Amino acid sequence: MSTAVDGTSISRDIPFLDIVDQEFRFDSPEVVEAQERSWYADSPLGILVLRYAESRDLLRDPRLDHNGKRYLEMGGVVSGPIYDWFVPMIVNHDGEEHRRLRGLVNKAFTPRMINGLRPFIRARAEELTDRLALLDVCDFGEDFGNPLPLAIMCELLGVPAKDYDTFRVWTADVGLVFSLAHGGDIPRRVENALVGLNGYVDALIADKSASPTDDLISALIAAQREDNGRVSGEELRNLIVTLVFAAHDTTRHQLNNAMVAFAAHPGQWRLLADRPELADQATDEVMRWIPSTGTVYRFAAADFEYRGVHFAKETFFMVCTDIAQRDPRVFRDGATFDISVAREAPALQFGGGPHHCLGAALAKAEIAEVLPVLTSRLAPPVVAGPLNWRPPVGIHGPESLPLRFGVS
């Protein structure tokens, strides 16, 4: 037997994957082989869940929780702006506390609000696509993947267009909170982003309280008042900052990841151009193939057994969505990217049960509106230079994405 960092006893038959290695990739033969051998692997950080069925089970298992405090401690953060935001974040609550906070957001962040954004999404996508058509080589992230969800998020929240450039750095960097284990300048970037966002959101709340408009922040403030103060002002700010990074950072990386997928499969791009009715199915497939949330974490709330294995309290689990969503036990031809196949198993990157991601519907709406615009106007993307990938733990995708399109 060997012992993981959490004290759990791990059989020597269990694969070990060095997830903190800078060259580690979830689509490597090493990871595929590990999935064939076992439903989980050991790592320097904790347990990696590699198969779909077990991932789905554990994301919904009430014996596991988020334990934001313990997560930050693993990254060396025990106080300061990151700690003050992350520990009380909505996703790190369970039970009644989670229902109280989520209930406020559900009242304001409605399907009607999301559907009302679709014309804006489409118009913005058309404008940015026309600009791409004029470039020999673009940095897709900078020229499309970043500005599109940023504009949508600002439209949703009621952020003035003049503040986009200031806002974009904060909202991009705060998502690195899920990559703290990789060290470097990541903690500093996250902390600086939170300081800026907290001050800016406080000013927005004050402005919208005095002069409400037709946006999500105004709706959240109205819902807070209707709840007779059950959600405090500090909790409201925390919710808005959380929504900000979720609405921007995960979607910009998912758009980048979609282009990586289509660059490797140009026939699928042409298929979508010919059959735009496949947009929703194509959206599901790019999220399955290269999810922007490559890992989703949980902690054991107490000692427990699963699949005949004993796990100690505070065992750290990472559901590895990248490889689990290609699991051949669930996905027929799961190692093939094919937008013509209707996949019945839902994506894992949005979590499960009471913690299913609040922004999942908006993210899907954005990508489903964007893909037909791009494929109808541009030839398939070709990668035109090296890709600079974010670490595989947390929100994952290329930070720089040089592409050549041509006109369709």
Side-chain angles (χ1 to χ4, degrees):
M1 305 288 284
S2 61
T3 304
V5 291
D6 48 38
T8 301
S9 293
I10 304 296
S11 166
R12 289 192 181 92
D13 295 332
I14 298 303
F16 179 87
L17 297 173
D18 189 2
I19 197 171
V20 298
D21 187 315
Q22 294 296 320
E23 302 301 317
F24 180 85
R25 290 292 301 269
F26 276 114
D27 59 358
S28 69
E30 174 192 22
V31 179
V32 173
E33 192 272 337
Q35 185 191 61
E36 291 174 357
R37 288 173 54 194
S38 172
W39 66 265
Y40 71 98
D42 193 11
S43 82
L45 300 179
I47 302 300
L48 307 179
V49 187
L50 305 176
R51 295 181 184 171
Y52 185 93
E54 289 81 359
S55 296
R56 180 195 57 210
D57 287 350
L58 291 170
L59 284 173
R60 291 164 171 77
D61 196 317
R63 297 173 297 178
L64 276 67
D65 62 20
H66 290 75
N67 199 342
K69 180 175 179 292
R70 179 71 187 113
Y71 172 78
L72 290 186
E73 288 172 351
M74 289 174 59
V77 177
V78 296
S79 63
I82 300 175
Y83 188 94
D84 294 341
W85 166 64
F86 193 82
V87 173
M89 187 197 295
I90 183 172
V91 299
N92 292 324
H93 287 290
D94 292 286
E96 178 53 36
E97 281 296 283
H98 180 262
R99 286 190 290 273
R100 177 177 64 87
L101 295 170
R102 183 151 182 145
L104 180 77
V105 181
N106 286 341
K107 288 181 180 179
F109 195 27
T110 63
R112 180 181 177 185
M113 178 174 283
I114 293 169
N115 286 329
L117 283 168
R118 284 182 179 270
F120 179 86
I121 297 169
R122 201 156 45 245
R124 186 65 174 152
E126 289 170 350
E127 176 188 340
L128 291 170
T129 301
D130 287 344
R131 295 181 190 176
L132 291 182
L134 300 175
L135 301 173
D136 178 38
V137 175
C138 71
D139 182 330
F140 183 82
E142 283 301 303
D143 297 324
F144 193 104
N146 198 22
L148 183 104
L150 179 67
I152 295 162
M153 181 197 64
C154 290
E155 178 75 7
L156 175 70
L157 296 177
V159 173
K162 64 182 177 61
D163 294 339
Y164 282 16
D165 286 342
T166 301
F167 216 51
R168 63 183 294 185
V169 177
W170 296 334
T171 56
D173 280 357
V174 75
L176 286 167
V177 71
F178 295 110
S179 301
L180 289 175
H182 288 267
D185 68 343
I186 287 176
R188 178 190 59 79
R189 289 172 62 185
V190 176
E191 184 166 316
N192 289 344
L194 283 169
V195 170
L197 277 173
N198 284 339
Y200 189 88
V201 168
D202 279 342
L204 271 179
I205 291 173
D207 181 60
K208 303 295 182 181
S209 295
S211 304
T213 53
D214 186 19
D215 58 63
L216 180 57
I217 292 180
S218 298
L220 284 168
I221 292 169
Q224 182 199 29
R225 289 172 176 165
E226 291 172 5
D227 276 359
N228 298 315
R230 289 184 68 226
V231 174
S232 70
E234 189 171 332
E235 287 174 323
L236 179 63
R237 180 182 70 185
N238 192 301
L239 281 169
I240 293 170
V241 171
T242 301
L243 287 169
V244 159
F245 100 82
H248 177 211
D249 201 40
T250 53
T251 305
R252 77 184 180 106
H253 280 96
Q254 192 61 72
L255 285 166
N256 286 356
N257 291 350
M259 294 305 104
V260 173
F262 280 113
H265 303 88
Q268 295 292 299
W269 181 275
R270 297 187 186 96
L271 175 60
L272 184 56
D274 292 338
R275 297 180 59 192
E277 70 275 11
L278 290 175
D280 288 340
Q281 204 160 281
T283 297
D284 290 340
E285 184 68 349
V286 298
M287 289 182 168
R288 181 191 75 87
W289 188 248
I290 317 180
S292 59
T293 304
T295 55
V296 180
Y297 82 85
R298 295 287 190 272
F299 287 90
D303 290 7
F304 79 106
E305 287 198 6
Y306 180 75
R307 301 278 190 191
V309 183
H310 178 81
F311 295 102
K313 181 180 180 179
E314 293 194 353
T315 296
F316 184 55
F317 291 86
M318 282 183 289
V319 168
C320 302
T321 59
D322 260 308
I323 187 66
Q325 292 178 172
R326 301 187 186 190
D327 188 346
R329 295 156 193 81
V330 175
F331 299 96
R332 184 178 180 182
D333 296 325
T336 301
F337 177 71
D338 189 348
I339 68 169
S340 70
V341 175
R343 311 283 186 181
E344 294 184 5
L348 295 166
Q349 68 170 327
F350 297 118
H355 283 279
H356 186 263
C357 177
L358 286 163
L362 177 59
K364 288 185 175 184
E366 288 185 44
I367 295 168
E369 292 293 337
V370 162
L371 290 179
V373 174
L374 287 167
T375 55
S376 67
R377 299 184 182 209
L378 302 175
V382 176
V383 176
L387 305 185
N388 175 29
W389 288 86
R390 258 193 181 183
V393 176
I395 299 172
H396 181 57
E399 291 280 23
S400 60
L401 181 54
L403 295 180
R404 180 178 288 107
F405 280 99
V407 179
S408 179

